[in-house]
Amino acid sequence: MEKHYEQPMASPESSEPNPPMYGEYEVSRDSIPRRIFDSFKRDPNAHATPKGAVGADGKVFDVESAARNTAESPLARKLKGRHLQMIAIGGSIGTGLFVGSGKALANGGPASLLIAYGIIGVMLYCTVHALGEMAVLFPVAGSFSAYSTRFLDPAWGFAMGWNYAMQWLVVLPLEIVAASITVDYWNYNTTKPLNAAWVAIFLAIIITINLFGVKGYGEAEFFFAIVKVIAIVGFIILGIVIDCGGGPNGGYVGGHLWHDPGAFNHGFKGLCSVFVTAAFAFAGTELVGLAAAETANPRKSLPTAVKQVFWRITLFYIVSLTIVGLLVPYNDPALLSGTSSSDAKASPFVIAIKDAGIGGLPSVMNVVILIAVLSVGNSSIYGSSRTMAALAEQNQAPKLLAYIDRKGRPLVAIFIASGLGFLAFLAASSKQTEAFNWMLALSGLSSIFTWGSICLAHIRFRKGWAVQGHSLDELAFRSQPGVIGSWVGFAINCLVLIAQFWTGFAPIGYADDSASVLVTDFFQAYLAAPIVLAFYIPYKLYFRTPFIRAKDMDLHSGIRELNLAELLAEERAEKASWPKWKKWYKVVC
């Protein structure tokens, strides 16, 4: 006999909804305060790096574990192509260009200014392409410090990581004070308490931006960079008009100032003294590589951003400083009138507009300088927090720094970086100048060591890539200057270190200084070198870390696309069908 089974009907009295079927889901929305509170909790998928295999003496550094954990970092991947491009073009350009170039012009003259910035620009072009090649293939947390650990020596990676973190940790209070001094441009009678009030305002703005996570950093830098690009392009156009005699004061200027007072000042030593100023002005260009770990698709976005660095160097530095050298004589007393390295009154950009008799625009340029200073302060928290978190991931820093919340923010590292920003309240102290000269000394040569390490890591990476049987066709992005460019970049970094040692040991006008002043000036110029050695040597001796051999390099951890070969083949087939103009465009952009 046939049996009939009926589906049980829901009781009409029952008000409970049926549970979702398999494959369906329901969106659960907590209250806004609850969601904000929960976002600060640790990401359940995050981890502090577990200890690797430890030897009998308990002092063995596990290179493979370090590489794996930087590759698996739970940082949020929310940066888009437009963010990376603007970070590459205008990110972290601050007082080094807008104000520091004035002192460089006074010390070396317009020709030395262009030569030094041009040489550093060539080095940066080679360095960023080398970094781009590695970051596209391995978009890992910590970027260049992690590459030093993976391809050179874990002890050197440890030293480079802390060198870079310390550089940005001290830059934050420096830039906040610079912002408060920039405001003094409109108020010559600013009191110390008012200065401290501006420090509090700017510090609150920068910390708030970074608490919005990498998306907040990206959007802020996008806005800051657009303002700087518009200002520089506007200054170049205005400068050409003034030089041709179109300013209110009239009169053709041309290249007159290159003959009177001249193209050079203080000879070869004047040229060498400009190198470090130029390096400080270019600092932060490498941030585009650090941001790769938090980019949605670095294989697509990063190559374009890396190519934009050429235009950053050419437009922001070479062309704009050429205009500055044509409009401002190196013996203009206003160039050395600044009360600090961030005083906009000593900016050659402001002086050029003032000397042309244009009213109002100097204040506009000063607003741009203020925005540029806030941009660098914003980058400083980002750069230091991500580097410290990556060091913790590799067991090279306290594990607490590896705390990453559910929004992908390295929260503890951000709080520590922000906390050091409160040193900016020294601006209201009588010891302001002395304190900040030493903090500036910490960051002075740090970038040179970072860039040299990137070039050397790329040279070793290419060696390991070849030894392990890989071809260059397997690379998603290839450095345009190649290994030769990395050797050139490494050599220029070494020459800058030598030049800085000479100008630090025997600065311009040293015959008139006392021995104590000379010793102080030398250590303020070269402080980063002994600090790097103080990190490297004890770590090397304690952990007995090996120099990584080409055959032992980890060339797999951190590659995101498992089917990379197929993806590259499809892209190359697509590029082959492009018209010639598009192929040329993609080479430079």
Side-chain angles (χ1 to χ4, degrees):
M1 185 174 177
E2 203 174 87
K3 293 183 180 180
H4 298 278
Y5 295 94
E6 294 184 359
Q7 186 79 12
M9 299 291 291
S11 172
E13 291 84 6
S14 175
S15 60
E16 293 183 7
N18 291 327
M21 301 291 290
Y22 178 77
E24 296 178 348
Y25 65 91
E26 292 180 346
V27 177
S28 175
R29 303 292 285 181
D30 291 325
S31 64
I32 291 177
R34 166 58 64 181
R35 276 185 278 156
I36 293 174
F37 178 78
D38 286 346
S39 72
F40 289 97
K41 292 181 179 179
R42 181 188 286 273
D43 183 347
N45 299 314
H47 51 79
T49 305
K51 286 192 175 182
V54 181
D57 58 358
K59 299 177 182 179
V60 176
F61 182 84
D62 188 0
V63 180
E64 292 181 4
S65 175
R68 185 172 59 251
N69 285 291
T70 53
E72 297 171 357
S73 175
L75 292 169
R77 298 173 179 177
K78 293 183 178 178
L79 286 180
K80 298 178 180 177
R82 64 182 177 88
H83 297 134
L84 275 188
Q85 289 183 37
M86 296 313 291
I87 289 170
I89 292 176
S92 74
I93 291 178
T95 54
L97 172 66
F98 290 117
V99 181
S101 57
K103 185 179 180 182
L105 177 61
N107 285 337
S112 293
L113 193 69
L114 285 183
I115 292 170
Y117 275 77
I119 290 174
I120 297 294
V122 169
M123 180 268 290
L124 251 297
Y125 174 77
C126 297
T127 301
V128 173
H129 270 263
L131 175 61
E133 180 176 301
M134 294 185 290
V136 169
L137 190 63
F138 307 112
V140 300
S143 190
F144 24 85
S145 64
Y147 301 145
S148 293
T149 296
R150 191 187 286 205
F151 303 132
L152 297 175
D153 176 4
W156 188 249
F158 170 79
M160 286 301 95
W162 279 109
N163 166 69
Y164 194 71
M166 287 179 62
Q167 171 192 341
W168 284 118
L169 286 171
V170 300
V171 162
L172 176 60
L174 281 172
E175 293 298 326
I176 292 174
V177 170
S180 68
I181 292 174
T182 304
V183 176
D184 290 351
Y185 181 85
W186 295 288
N187 185 5
Y188 296 102
N189 300 316
T190 300
T191 60
K192 293 295 182 183
L194 185 57
N195 225 12
W198 283 113
V199 166
I201 292 169
F202 293 136
L203 187 60
I205 291 171
I206 291 171
I207 292 175
T208 301
I209 289 172
N210 278 272
L211 285 178
F212 278 99
V214 69
K215 194 70 179 294
Y217 164 75
E219 294 295 350
E221 284 304 306
F222 184 77
F223 167 74
F224 292 150
I226 286 176
V227 172
K228 287 183 276 189
V229 168
I230 293 172
I232 289 291
V233 172
F235 174 81
I236 291 171
I237 295 171
L238 177 64
I240 293 172
V241 171
I242 294 171
D243 193 63
C244 294
N249 292 342
Y252 175 75
V253 180
H256 168 71
L257 296 180
W258 280 58
H259 300 283
D260 180 22
F264 292 94
N265 191 26
H266 298 124
F268 183 66
K269 183 172 284 187
L271 172 63
C272 290
S273 70
V274 178
F275 275 118
V276 176
T277 306
F280 184 74
F282 278 104
T285 310
E286 71 289 336
L287 276 171
V288 69
L290 190 66
E294 295 179 84
T295 303
N297 190 349
R299 187 175 56 83
K300 291 282 189 181
S301 306
L302 203 55
T304 303
V306 166
K307 292 171 189 174
Q308 304 293 347
V309 170
F310 171 81
W311 301 109
R312 167 184 175 140
I313 293 168
T314 305
L315 182 70
F316 268 75
Y317 296 93
I318 306 304
V319 176
S320 65
L321 291 177
T322 299
I323 300 296
V324 163
L326 291 173
L327 299 178
V328 183
Y330 69 70
N331 58 359
D332 189 324
L335 290 172
L336 299 176
S337 67
T339 56
S340 75
S341 61
S342 48
D343 191 343
K345 292 191 288 291
S347 167
F349 293 83
V350 173
I351 293 169
I353 298 172
K354 264 187 175 179
D355 290 351
I358 301 174
L361 272 184
S363 288
V364 173
M365 200 67 205
N366 203 59
V367 171
V368 174
I369 294 173
L370 178 61
I371 289 174
V373 167
L374 291 175
S375 170
V376 178
N378 184 38
S379 297
S380 66
I381 290 186
Y382 178 81
S384 58
S385 63
R386 268 59 180 182
T387 303
M388 288 191 293
L391 286 167
E393 288 280 350
Q394 298 174 87
N395 276 332
Q396 294 176 332
K399 285 185 178 149
L400 185 64
L401 292 172
Y403 182 97
I404 296 175
D405 69 9
R406 298 182 182 188
K407 293 294 184 182
R409 298 169 295 197
L411 214 55
V412 175
I414 288 175
F415 286 155
I416 289 176
S418 303
L420 285 176
F422 285 89
L423 288 173
F425 284 103
L426 287 170
S429 163
S430 59
K431 298 290 185 181
Q432 170 192 343
T433 303
E434 185 179 344
F436 285 103
N437 280 342
W438 285 107
M439 281 198 283
L440 189 62
L442 276 173
S443 63
L445 281 179
S446 296
S447 294
I448 302 297
F449 285 103
T450 297
W451 297 333
S453 296
I454 291 170
C455 292
L456 196 57
H458 180 246
I459 292 167
R460 293 296 302 151
F461 159 70
R462 279 287 188 96
K463 179 68 174 176
W465 193 253
V467 166
Q468 295 189 25
H470 297 283
S471 70
L472 296 182
D473 290 335
E474 297 176 55
L475 295 174
F477 171 71
R478 199 183 308 175
S479 165
Q480 289 178 349
V483 175
I484 294 175
S486 293
W487 278 114
V488 169
F490 182 71
I492 292 176
N493 278 295
C494 292
L495 290 175
V496 171
L497 287 175
I498 294 170
Q500 176 65 355
F501 184 86
W502 180 41
T503 56
F505 180 75
I508 295 170
Y510 72 95
D512 300 327
D513 294 331
S514 65
S516 62
V517 170
L518 288 174
V519 170
T520 301
D521 287 348
F522 173 76
F523 278 103
Q524 285 185 350
Y526 224 73
L527 185 61
I531 286 178
V532 167
L533 293 178
F535 274 106
Y536 175 69
I537 294 174
Y539 194 92
K540 180 74 175 176
L541 295 176
Y542 184 81
F543 285 100
R544 302 174 188 174
T545 57
F547 295 105
I548 308 299
R549 301 177 65 182
K551 68 180 182 65
D552 298 328
M553 291 177 184
D554 181 355
L555 299 179
H556 302 285
S557 298
I559 297 178
R560 285 192 192 174
E561 291 93 350
L562 298 178
N563 59 335
L564 185 60
E566 291 81 359
L567 291 172
L568 291 178
E570 290 176 8
E571 288 176 6
R572 285 173 184 141
E574 181 187 350
K575 290 176 183 178
S577 64
W578 288 350
K580 285 186 178 180
W581 69 266
K582 189 172 183 179
K583 291 179 181 178
W584 279 107
Y585 173 78
K586 286 296 182 180
V587 168
V588 296
C589 292

